Every structure is written in structure tokens, then in C-alpha cells.
């Protein structure tokens, strides 16, 4: 099989075809929607604009393709980064967004068909990341306890397990998360991970309050985690993990 593929590849080179011609064609926006987006944008309890809902998409379409694609890619409101699929490329993600927008009345093209559009999306992505980083240092700690933040923000998903969120008090669901360690889990959740949107979908939440809420849920689920906001060393570790994760996501 390997020799056959090698001969086929050499034949492609001899007649001027790139080896990429042997690869499978990229998934269409529709296929990507079915694979990664339908769970939230189809039916379901998550407050995402539903497929084909012109009214729900109107405001987003007005923001423009570059802005909506870039913000969704980084994570915005209840939208996790990259739609919760870490190995998804920006081009593929952009095709899925364009497909959903077209179903809601937009005239959006697949981003890889336009170099200027892709450039605009990447510029918006950079601006969004910079804005989130700056905001993280300006939002003041309001002093709410972890339990209070959980009741106000986290309970929506972590009480019933919406979108696969580990329910508070479910030791089995939390066990692999607890093994990641407090600094790593808090930092990754802060930036958005799997189906978790950045900052729990609340840009006005301080890192200290967010960290206390994560610790509160972990404590209720079998973890011996302390309040990070009263431990300067732990907060430094969390911020270091955030920086490391930001560099990974920016690649």
C-alpha cells in the first residue's frame, strides 16, 4: 500500500499535480455544521442563534462576516472557542459560519475564496484577543463569593449538565478535571475550553471571581481547592497558564 501511494504521488508530481491532490476534499460548510454546530445551533437548550432563524441572525449579520467569524472563533457570549472543536481550522470554522449565515439570509462566501476576507478575519481575531487580554486587567474584583457567582452565572449550565458541562457535585464528571490541577483548569476555562465559553460567557467577570466560582464547584465535587484570590502564588500560576494557553490558541 505504501509503495502504491508513493508511485501514485510520484505520478502526480510528474504530470504537475501537487500531492495535496491526493488528499480528501475539505468538508463543506453544511458538513461542518452537522458535525460541530448543530448541537447548539439546531435544536437544544443552549441560547445560540438557531439555524435558519432570520430574526436571531439579523443583528449578527449586520456586524459583518469578519467580525462574527473572528469573535466566534475566539469565543463570545455562550460560544466556546472554535465551536468547541480544538482541531478545527479557521477556514473550516469560517465555512460553517458562512453556511449558517446564508441560511438566515446573508450573502456570505466561504472565507478561503477571498484572501482579503481571510485577512480581515485574522485582523479581527487579533483585535478580539487583545481586547480580552486588556479587559482581564481592568475588570475589578467585586468581591462576590464563589457560591454567589455560581448561582448568578454558572448554574445555568453546571446544574443540569447543559452542553456536557460537568454538574456541580458530580464527583465522577469532575474527577478528570480535578486531575488537571487548579491552575490549569481555571486558566483553560477562563479562556474557553471544549463547550465552555470564555469567562462563562460574561466579559464583565473578573478573574478573581471566576476563579472562586471554579474552586466552589470543585470543592462540591470532591476537590480540595482553595480560594485563589487569597493566594498570590496560585493566582500567578493561573495567570501564567492563561498566557501559555493564549499563545497556543493564537497559533
Amino acid at each position: 500500500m505504501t509503495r502504491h501511494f508513493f508511485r501514485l504521488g510520484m505520478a502526480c508530481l510528474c504530470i504537475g499535480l501537487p500531492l495535496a491532490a491526493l488528499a480528501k476534499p475539505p468538508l463543506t460548510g453544511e458538513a461542518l455544521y452537522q458535525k460541530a454546530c448543530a448541537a447548539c445551533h439546531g435544536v437544544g437548550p443552549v441560547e445560540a442563534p438557531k439555524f435558519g432563524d432570520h430574526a436571531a441572525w439579523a443583528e449578527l449579520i449586520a456586524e459583518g462576516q469578519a467580525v462574527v467569524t473572528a469573535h466566534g472563533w475566539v469565543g463570545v457570549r455562550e460560544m466556546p472557542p472554535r465551536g468547541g472543536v480544538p482541531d478545527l481550522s479557521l477556514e473550516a470554522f469560517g465555512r460553517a459560519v458562512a453556511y449558517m449565515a446564508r441560511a438566515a439570509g446573508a450573502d456570505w462566501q466561504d472565507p478561503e475564496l477571498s484572501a482579503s476576507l481571510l485577512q480581515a478575519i485574522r485582523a479581527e481575531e487579533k483585535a478580539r484577543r487583545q481586547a480580552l487580554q486588556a479587559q482581564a486587567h481592568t475588570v475589578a474584583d467585586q468581591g462576590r463569593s464563589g457560591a454567589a457567582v455560581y448561582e448568578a452565572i454558572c448554574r445555568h449550565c453546571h446544574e443540569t449538565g447543559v452542553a456536557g458541562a460537568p454538574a456541580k457535585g458530580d464527583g465522577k464528571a469532575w474527577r478528570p478535571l480535578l486531575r488537571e490541577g487548579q491552575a490549569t483548569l481555571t486558566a483553560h476555562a477562563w479562556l474557553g475550553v471544549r463547550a465552555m465559553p470564555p469567562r462563562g460567557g460574561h466579559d464583565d467577570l473578573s478573574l478573581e471571581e471566576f476563579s472562586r466560582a471554579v474552586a466552589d464547584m470543585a470543592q462540591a465535587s470532591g476537590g480540595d481547592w482553595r480560594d485563589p484570590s487569597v493566594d498570590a502564588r496560585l493566582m500567578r500560576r493561573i495567570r501564567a497558564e492563561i498566557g501559555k494557553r493564549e499563545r497556543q490558541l493564537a497559533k
Side-chain angles (χ1 to χ4, degrees):
M1 178 65 73
T2 301
R3 290 196 300 271
H4 174 72
F5 183 82
F6 177 77
R7 288 197 298 270
L8 182 57
M10 291 302 294
C12 286
L13 291 175
C14 289
I15 62 175
L17 291 176
L19 285 174
L22 299 175
K24 293 181 179 180
L27 292 177
T28 64
E30 180 179 6
L32 289 161
Y33 165 78
Q34 295 295 341
K35 178 181 179 180
C37 313
C40 294
H41 290 278
V43 297
V46 178
E47 294 178 7
K50 302 306 179 184
F51 183 82
D53 186 337
H54 287 230
W57 275 87
E59 186 175 344
L60 297 173
I61 292 171
E63 291 180 15
Q65 186 170 2
V67 171
V68 170
T69 304
H71 286 205
W73 173 251
V74 175
V76 62
R77 293 179 288 275
E78 293 190 4
M79 174 80 173
R82 307 184 184 196
V85 184
D87 60 349
L88 199 62
S89 70
L90 176 58
E91 291 81 1
F93 180 85
R95 285 197 295 276
V97 173
Y99 171 73
M100 289 189 286
R102 288 195 295 267
D107 185 21
W108 289 9
Q109 62 181 321
D110 290 351
E112 65 264 38
L113 300 179
S114 170
S116 61
L117 176 57
L118 260 180
Q119 185 177 11
I121 291 171
R122 294 191 184 280
E124 286 290 344
E125 175 198 359
K126 182 178 180 180
R128 171 67 174 167
R129 293 192 189 281
Q130 290 174 339
L132 288 173
Q133 290 169 2
Q135 195 174 41
H137 296 286
T138 57
V139 176
D141 181 5
Q142 301 299 315
R144 288 182 293 178
S145 68
V149 175
Y150 169 80
E151 289 294 330
I153 295 173
C154 314
R155 183 177 179 179
H156 175 66
C157 293
H158 288 278
E159 182 175 53
T160 58
V162 171
K168 181 179 179 179
D170 186 341
K172 182 178 180 180
W174 275 85
R175 194 172 299 125
L177 302 176
L178 296 174
R179 285 198 293 265
E180 293 182 16
Q182 187 169 1
T184 297
L185 182 64
T186 303
H188 287 201
W190 172 253
L191 294 175
V193 63
R194 293 177 286 274
M196 172 82 176
R199 306 178 193 190
H202 291 259
D203 287 355
D204 58 349
L205 191 63
S206 71
L207 177 58
E208 291 80 5
E209 289 181 308
F210 181 88
S211 300
R212 285 196 289 269
V214 174
D216 174 72
M217 288 188 284
Q219 289 165 5
S221 307
D224 184 21
W225 289 13
R226 57 193 180 278
D227 177 355
S229 62
V230 297
D231 186 333
R233 183 179 178 183
L234 179 54
M235 284 303 298
R236 285 196 297 271
R237 288 173 54 207
I238 291 172
R239 292 187 187 280
E241 283 290 340
I242 289 173
K244 178 181 177 181
R245 181 65 172 167
E246 284 175 334
R247 291 188 292 275
Q248 292 173 339
L249 291 173
K251 292 179 180 179

